[in-house]
Amino acid sequence: SYFLRHARSRNYVSESELCKLESVPLDFGDYHPLKPITVTESKTKKMNRKGSTSSTSSSSSSSLMDPLSSVLDGTDPLSLFAAAADPVTAAPPTDGARRKRDKDESSAVGSDFEPWSSKRGEILARYTTTEKLSINLYMGSEKGKATTTGSAVSEKVRTRLEELDDLEEGSQKELLNLTQQDYMNRIEELNQSLKDAWSSDQKVKALKIVIQCSKLLSDTTVIQFYPSKFVLITDILDTFGKLVYERILSMCMDNRVSLPDNFSPESVNDTAKETCLNWFFKIASIRELIPRFYVEAAILKCNKFLSKTGISECLPRLTSMIRGIGDPLVAVYARAYLCRVGMEVAPQLKESLNKNFFDFLLTFKQIHGDTVQNQLVVQCVEIPLYLTLYSPAIDWILQCIAYHAPDVLLTEMMERCKKLGNNALLLNSVMSAFRAEFIAARSMDFIGMIKECDESGFPKHLLFRSLGLNLTLADPPENDRLQILNEAWKVITKLKNPQDYINCAEVWVEYTCRHFTKREVNTVLADVIKHMTPDRAFEDAYPQLQSIIQKVITYIYDFALLFSVEKFLPFLDMFQKESVRVEVCKCIMESFIKHQQESTKDPVILNALLHICKTMHDSVNALTLEDEKRMLAALINGFIKMVSFGRDFEQQLSFYVEARSMFCNLEPVLVQLIHSVNQLAMETRRVMKGNHSRKTAAFVRACVAFCFITIPSLSSIFTRLNLYLHSGQVALANQCLSQADAFFKAAVSLVPEVPKMISVDGKMRPSDAFLLEFLCNFFSTLLVVPDHPEQGVLFLVRGLLNVIQDYTWEDNSDDKVRIYTNVLHLLSAMTQEAFIYHVDKVDSNDALYGGDSKFLAEINKLSETVVSQILDHLKTLGKEETLKRQSQLALYFFNTILAHGDLRNNRLNQLSVNLWNLAQKHGFADTKTMVKTLEYIKRRSKQPEMSHFTDLALRLPLQSRT
């Protein structure tokens, strides 16, 4: 009891003044933290001549030095790197780096050109088959793999030519009945075989593999798979072309220095030229047209080693070679490959690309010839499906031609297409490949051409879809916009097939949202509902319907306007599949949270969004992942925060009550609602300036009741504890004393239920640290809570101490003693005449008891119990394995006495000395901490009324660890 009987009287105001930092006037001069720093650039040049020293030159744009540069004396790491990269002194780059830079810089194709690689995946995914495929695998030959050193050159050449003949004479194995995946795996094996053969210096074997693969491109037995086959085979051809080019380039190295960028043929040595010619001669000896064309096209870039005009001479010849290919599908893909290689190695040679396309136009009528028609009958392929096989090739050819092409050329192309009968396929490719701005500016012309197309070959709705895709990227003339929509929708709305319809409508919805009002958007949505509802057609079109919703909310993000679109909510009703429906709801809520700047009370918005949030909430079940729950809760909380009825607080509370009933399965939402209601109570207090009327007093009690009945439904025990505490503080601030007591009692009764381990971020952690933090906050609140007249003195503090005493603590934990020490802080504060803080318009115990001796006696009894518990625990830590803990706790208790006790009392003074000695007794005390503590005591001794600290300091020895 002597501890609090001799608690130090505190003058909190003077202590606060004493602890304030001393203000010192500063003269900044020219310096200001927000002023831009002038960076000094330093260049370090090292001379390579023997005997010379490195010199440093420094240049600055201002006399003000950058502090970092001045410290580093101009030799900071970045400057050194810059100097190392100086082209004057830099070492020659590696061969690989040179080739990479050569490729990057010589290419005239910019980033605005869509590369072939971006189309590859789409083609493979779109053109598939379930039919069985066949492939010829090269079996290899032992002839000619190695020659003796004494072999004559002519013998070597003859052997290799025999090997090439050997390929055509049956050294291959045909694999039949392959699935599509098996076929793709075999092609990948061939690609790897090519690389392996090349790396083991079996160049002829590599060439054989490439010839064999090229031959596969003449096979159209499974015609619907041909575009995908073209993609797979040309990957191998690209690999081969790259290997040959890099091989010849490596032969041009002179003293480990590669050829410069944009080298001329004159700088290529004779050995490299001979090797290059040798490759072209080998390829020229291939008998069949298709492999000869493809393999030569693959190494087209190697012409750079032979002559400046090599590529420009080869392109027209290769273009003419394609005329010998009879099958129009095989021919058009050969033209596509030539364009692909041409754009890579010589994009400036557009004339050859144009000639390639015009050749295709001349042979376009072959598509409708008897040969093709008979082939389609045999394979049971319809003409519309067959025509779509041409799209990737024609699209690519036109993209290459249209790249940076003048409008005159594009207009000429358009006119040529017009002259061909049944030109829907070409027209579609023109709209896919030409610049969107070019198409949009001539939208009415294209609509006229689409109307004239024959419906039987290529469906018109695909043409309108392609036109719509262009109009989402570029705007047509303003006067034509409505007419364009009307013409397109006349065709789209007549489509009987729901899948065809929705594929078109999805594109044109964006055009409608972009250029028209909610009336037109509503009409379009109504038409979609009309087409997709019969026979539940919407079930097969969820991706497109989702896309439509996304486009609508992208352009109409004013939610008052969005929900006034009459057919928007009926449109949502088409999402019957729960997973898709929830995704759509999430999409809408994300848009609302992103774009809604101000809080709202619009009943239309609230009802619609409550319905959407309810859909998300109801999707939660026992199998829902925690991450998904968190995401849904975050979206619903974002909505709740945006709802405000202004000064109509009762309406606001009614909304929170309704939300609680709707979202009871998502704990984070309930937590948000409790916080929102507490905030509402505090806002009421602010408006009334703390002076509640009868009406507002009843309202805040209703808020408090909301929280009190909601908190028990939460599962997380620490969430409940903290909300009880927080809500009790809010009740206390609003002078609801009995309600505040109820919250604090609930918190006290919940403490025994705290488990030893709790889950934190998915991992199990001891709960002691969390409980200690909560109790410290609780003690701080209990200081200002007035005693209940019928419950006795400090009934809440007593109840909490009983709970702490009965709680089962870990054997190796000292948290119980740390809590008791914090209780002493609380009891010490309670003995002061005026407490350190108060709640406005609430009388705390300092006002109620006025320093009454009976009240102080009760505090002394409590403190006596607490101190004896602390000292008993310190005694139990006397074993060797717990001495370190004993030292730490003794010092912790010593600091408590130092801060809160009146050390003029001899017994208290002696206790503090004993604790100090105990902390150091076994050498576990931290010397730095002890020294700093002693220095603090000596400084305090110089303050008024603290002279007794001088004697205390003399009684506190510092012991060394030895």
Side-chain angles (χ1 to χ4, degrees):
S1 64
Y2 54 81
F3 174 79
L4 287 179
R5 194 175 296 134
H6 299 286
R8 184 163 64 87
S9 296
R10 310 286 290 273
N11 185 332
Y12 293 117
V13 176
S14 62
E15 283 185 37
S16 175
E17 288 295 326
L18 197 64
C19 293
K20 277 185 181 176
L21 292 173
E22 184 183 355
S23 58
V24 179
L26 289 176
D27 181 18
F28 285 101
D30 288 338
Y31 170 76
H32 189 277
L34 299 181
K35 223 178 190 181
I37 294 175
T38 307
V39 179
T40 305
E41 181 188 355
S42 301
K43 293 181 181 177
T44 305
K45 293 186 180 179
K46 292 187 178 179
M47 312 304 286
N48 293 327
R49 291 193 299 276
K50 189 176 178 181
S52 66
T53 57
S54 60
S55 61
T56 305
S57 63
S58 194
S59 63
S60 174
S61 58
S62 167
S63 60
L64 181 63
M65 286 287 285
D66 170 30
L68 295 180
S69 294
S70 61
V71 170
L72 291 164
D73 194 26
T75 56
D76 65 280
L78 296 181
S79 296
L80 292 174
F81 281 135
D86 192 324
V88 176
T89 57
T94 62
D95 191 36
R98 171 73 72 182
R99 279 200 302 274
K100 187 176 186 302
R101 198 164 75 231
D102 184 19
K103 182 180 175 183
D104 293 343
E105 293 178 5
S106 65
S107 175
V109 177
S111 58
D112 55 338
F113 183 80
E114 186 181 1
W116 174 260
S117 57
S118 67
K119 298 176 180 292
R120 184 181 178 282
E122 184 186 340
I123 294 171
L124 289 173
R126 182 178 173 189
Y127 297 98
T128 58
T129 183
T130 54
E131 293 187 34
K132 298 299 180 183
L133 302 157
S134 63
I135 190 172
N136 292 323
L137 273 182
Y138 169 62
M139 299 304 293
S141 168
E142 295 303 315
K143 293 189 294 179
K145 279 192 179 175
T147 57
T148 59
T149 313
S151 296
V153 174
S154 59
E155 179 66 26
K156 193 175 182 180
V157 170
R158 185 161 58 252
T159 306
R160 289 191 172 179
L161 287 172
E162 284 173 3
E163 279 186 310
L164 287 174
D165 288 340
D166 185 42
L167 175 67
E168 300 184 10
E169 288 165 9
S171 66
Q172 46 193 326
K173 174 185 176 185
E174 187 172 20
L175 296 177
L176 302 171
N177 296 324
L178 298 176
T179 65
Q180 179 182 321
Q181 189 57 49
D182 291 338
Y183 188 91
M184 293 170 76
N185 292 341
R186 295 293 184 186
I187 294 291
E188 184 53 41
E189 284 174 21
L190 282 172
N191 201 354
Q192 191 56 47
S193 298
L194 167 66
K195 293 174 185 174
D196 293 343
W198 191 272
S199 60
S200 59
D201 207 28
Q202 298 181 48
K203 304 294 189 292
V204 172
K205 181 181 176 182
L207 179 58
K208 285 182 179 182
I209 292 170
V210 175
I211 293 170
Q212 175 198 347
C213 291
S214 303
K215 281 186 172 185
L216 296 173
L217 290 173
S218 61
D219 173 26
T220 57
T221 48
V222 184
I223 202 162
Q224 62 267 40
F225 184 65
Y226 192 84
S228 290
K229 184 200 286 190
F230 171 80
V231 168
L232 297 168
I233 301 296
T234 53
D235 282 351
I236 296 177
L237 287 163
D238 291 343
T239 302
F240 176 71
K242 185 180 177 187
L243 290 170
V244 173
Y245 182 82
E246 290 183 354
R247 164 73 177 147
I248 299 171
L249 188 67
S250 67
M251 297 172 73
C252 300
M253 289 190 63
D254 184 21
N255 295 329
R256 301 184 62 80
V257 178
S258 183
L259 287 176
D261 301 341
N262 301 322
F263 62 87
S264 65
E266 290 77 21
S267 57
V268 178
N269 60 46
D270 291 343
T271 309
K273 281 186 177 179
E274 185 182 342
T275 305
C276 187
L277 277 169
N278 191 23
W279 275 110
F280 280 111
F281 290 153
K282 280 178 189 171
I283 291 164
S285 68
I286 299 171
R287 295 172 187 174
E288 292 186 30
L289 171 62
I290 289 177
R292 187 166 73 248
F293 164 78
Y294 272 107
V295 180
E296 184 174 352
I299 67 163
L300 181 66
K301 191 175 181 182
C302 294
N303 278 284
K304 288 172 65 177
F305 297 109
L306 299 176
S307 71
K308 287 182 179 178
T309 57
I311 293 174
S312 58
E313 289 168 0
C314 276
L315 276 174
R317 181 171 55 78
L318 290 169
T319 302
S320 300
M321 280 172 69
I322 299 173
R323 294 175 182 174
I325 300 175
D327 190 311
L329 185 66
V330 176
V332 78
Y333 275 94
R335 295 184 193 283
Y337 187 66
L338 189 59
C339 284
R340 185 167 132 199
V341 175
M343 281 301 283
E344 185 182 334
V345 301
Q348 70 279 9
L349 299 174
K350 282 289 185 69
E351 295 79 8
S352 297
L353 301 181
N354 296 346
K355 182 173 182 285
N356 197 356
F357 180 66
F358 292 142
D359 270 9
F360 165 69
L361 292 182
L362 291 172
T363 58
F364 186 69
K365 57 181 179 291
Q366 281 183 296
I367 292 175
H368 302 283
D370 292 342
T371 311
V372 172
Q373 298 298 329
N374 294 338
Q375 186 185 16
L376 297 184
V377 170
V378 170
Q379 296 199 34
C380 302
V381 175
E382 298 289 333
I383 190 77
L385 173 62
Y386 175 68
L387 289 177
T388 60
L389 301 178
Y390 284 80
S391 293
I394 301 174
D395 289 355
W396 178 258
I397 294 169
L398 284 168
Q399 180 186 323
C400 294
I401 292 170
Y403 182 65
H404 287 180
D407 283 2
V408 177
L409 177 65
L410 302 184
T411 307
E412 183 189 347
M413 295 278 184
M414 206 167 133
E415 291 303 319
R416 291 211 181 197
C417 292
K418 274 185 184 178
K419 290 175 184 174
L420 290 169
N422 190 18
N423 62 347
L425 171 65
L426 283 176
L427 193 57
N428 190 60
S429 292
V430 164
M431 288 190 288
S432 300
F434 283 16
R435 290 193 303 275
E437 294 79 9
F438 177 88
I439 304 293
R442 297 163 180 75
S443 299
M444 292 309 297
D445 291 344
F446 278 97
I447 285 175
M449 291 166 69
I450 292 170
K451 283 181 176 179
E452 292 169 12
C453 287
D454 181 4
E455 183 72 43
S456 62
F458 197 91
K460 281 187 182 179
H461 67 85
L462 291 181
L463 297 175
F464 273 109
R465 187 177 189 279
S466 296
L467 179 61
L469 286 170
N470 279 286
L471 297 181
T472 60
L473 300 172
D475 298 336
E478 196 167 341
N479 296 335
D480 295 342
R481 289 174 186 174
L482 184 58
Q483 189 180 353
I484 291 167
L485 179 61
N486 288 336
E487 292 289 349
W489 210 260
K490 274 182 203 171
V491 175
I492 296 168
T493 195
K494 288 177 185 173
L495 293 172
K496 301 289 184 236
N497 184 316
Q499 205 59 42
D500 291 343
Y501 171 83
I502 197 65
N503 285 336
C504 263
E506 174 199 357
V507 173
W508 283 89
V509 163
E510 183 169 358
Y511 174 77
T512 311
C513 294
R514 188 175 170 128
H515 297 298
F516 298 99
T517 63
K518 71 171 189 177
R519 187 169 68 88
E520 288 81 5
V521 173
N522 191 56
T523 305
V524 170
L525 292 182
D527 195 62
V528 174
I529 294 169
K530 177 184 165 187
H531 277 80
M532 302 308 293
T533 307
D535 302 324
R536 299 178 71 83
F538 53 76
E539 290 182 345
D540 299 320
Y542 283 137
Q544 293 92 330
L545 294 173
Q546 274 182 275
S547 174
I548 288 173
I549 286 288
Q550 183 65 60
K551 285 165 182 171
V552 170
I553 61 178
T554 298
Y555 288 96
I556 308 178
Y557 44 79
D558 176 351
F559 275 71
L561 182 64
L562 179 66
F563 290 126
S564 67
V565 176
E566 187 183 336
K567 294 296 180 181
F568 182 74
L569 290 176
F571 190 92
L572 289 182
D573 291 338
M574 284 197 292
F575 295 98
Q576 302 278 312
K577 188 178 177 183
E578 187 181 62
S579 60
V580 181
R581 191 179 180 86
V582 170
E583 284 302 315
V584 171
C585 291
K586 281 158 66 175
C587 190
I588 293 169
M589 291 311 301
E590 283 168 5
S591 177
F592 176 78
I593 291 166
K594 180 180 177 183
H595 292 112
Q596 189 72 22
Q597 301 295 326
E598 298 176 355
S599 53
T600 181
K601 61 177 180 178
D602 186 324
V604 175
I605 294 178
L606 297 190
N607 288 332
L609 291 184
L610 275 172
H611 171 71
I612 287 167
C613 289
K614 178 76 171 136
T615 302
M616 295 194 301
H617 168 270
D618 291 349
S619 71
V620 174
N621 56 41
L623 300 177
T624 306
L625 297 173
E626 286 302 316
D627 280 351
E628 178 71 6
K629 287 182 185 177
R630 269 197 294 273
M631 183 186 290
L632 295 176
L635 291 172
I636 296 172
N637 284 344
F639 163 60
I640 289 169
K641 289 175 188 173
M642 292 305 298
V643 177
S644 172
F645 291 88
R647 284 292 185 89
D648 192 348
F649 291 167
E650 290 181 352
Q651 183 68 37
Q652 187 83 35
L653 183 60
S654 298
F655 169 77
Y656 291 144
V657 171
E658 184 183 1
R660 180 179 63 185
S661 66
M662 294 176 81
F663 309 127
C664 54
N665 289 335
L666 287 172
E667 192 159 303
V669 178
L670 295 179
V671 172
Q672 177 60 45
L673 287 170
I674 292 166
H675 284 308
S676 296
V677 171
N678 278 329
Q679 190 177 353
L680 187 62
M682 294 306 290
E683 183 65 15
T684 308
R685 178 181 181 274
R686 187 188 65 79
V687 170
M688 299 303 293
K689 297 179 181 175
N691 299 310
H692 284 298
S693 63
R694 182 178 295 178
K695 184 179 179 182
T696 59
F699 176 75
V700 294
R701 283 197 293 273
C703 291
V704 167
F706 174 100
C707 298
F708 191 74
I709 61 174
T710 307
I711 293 172
S713 64
L714 305 176
S715 61
S716 168
I717 194 157
F718 278 103
T719 302
R720 274 186 281 161
L721 282 171
N722 286 311
L723 285 173
Y724 274 135
L725 178 58
H726 182 226
S727 301
Q729 291 166 346
V730 170
L732 197 61
N734 284 284
Q735 298 122 54
C736 302
L737 301 184
S738 58
Q739 286 86 349
D741 281 350
F743 279 116
F744 298 140
K745 282 179 186 174
V748 170
S749 62
L750 193 58
V751 170
E753 297 177 25
V754 174
K756 294 288 170 287
M757 305 291 285
I758 58 168
S759 176
V760 180
D761 296 331
K763 295 179 181 177
M764 297 307 290
R765 308 274 191 202
S767 63
D768 291 2
F770 297 96
L771 184 57
L772 177 62
E773 182 186 1
F774 167 75
L775 290 172
C776 289
N777 288 337
F778 201 179
F779 293 144
S780 301
T781 302
L782 290 179
L783 175 64
V784 292
V785 177
D787 282 342
H788 194 285
E790 298 173 6
Q791 299 283 354
V793 177
L794 302 179
F795 74 102
L796 283 172
V797 178
R798 289 175 189 280
L800 189 53
L801 283 173
N802 290 335
V803 165
I804 294 167
Q805 177 64 28
D806 296 338
Y807 187 80
T808 308
W809 299 89
E810 294 288 337
D811 293 336
N812 61 345
S813 169
D814 297 318
D815 286 329
K816 182 177 180 181
V817 174
R818 293 182 186 278
I819 289 168
Y820 280 149
T821 311
N822 281 300
V823 171
L824 290 178
H825 301 169
L826 168 65
L827 296 174
S828 171
M830 282 183 165
T831 62
Q832 306 301 319
E833 288 185 18
F835 291 172
I836 187 170
Y837 48 82
H838 294 86
V839 177
D840 189 33
K841 295 185 172 56
V842 173
D843 289 334
S844 297
N845 285 338
D846 57 343
L848 292 180
Y849 294 109
D852 183 77
S853 56
K854 290 181 181 178
F855 173 65
L856 294 176
E858 289 293 331
I859 293 176
N860 284 336
K861 282 181 187 175
L862 275 178
S863 68
E864 188 175 340
T865 308
V866 171
V867 170
S868 64
Q869 290 277 353
I870 295 171
L871 295 176
D872 288 346
H873 186 79
L874 282 172
K875 287 175 187 174
T876 63
L877 298 176
K879 298 172 186 174
E880 188 175 348
E881 63 271 16
T882 55
L883 290 175
K884 186 173 182 180
R885 285 166 54 197
Q886 186 188 56
S887 169
Q888 291 171 341
L889 279 181
L891 185 59
Y892 189 61
F893 190 25
F894 171 84
N895 286 327
T896 295
I897 295 174
L898 195 64
H900 298 281
D902 185 355
L903 290 169
R904 284 174 293 199
N905 176 269
N906 291 333
R907 290 182 66 191
L908 200 55
N909 199 305
Q910 186 57 48
L911 175 62
S912 66
V913 173
N914 293 345
L915 289 169
W916 176 270
N917 291 331
L918 181 62
Q920 297 186 102
K921 187 175 181 181
H922 300 285
F924 286 105
D926 179 42
T927 309
K928 284 184 181 178
T929 305
M930 305 302 281
V931 169
K932 287 184 178 179
T933 305
L934 194 55
E935 287 174 357
Y936 166 76
I937 294 169
K938 289 175 181 176
R939 279 201 310 275
R940 289 287 304 274
S941 67
K942 295 174 184 176
Q943 294 175 7
E945 300 180 8
M946 289 291 177
S947 55
H948 57 283
F949 269 40
T950 307
D951 297 333
L952 177 65
L954 295 173
R955 297 179 64 196
L956 300 178
L958 281 173
Q959 294 177 7
S960 66
R961 291 202 171 196
T962 56

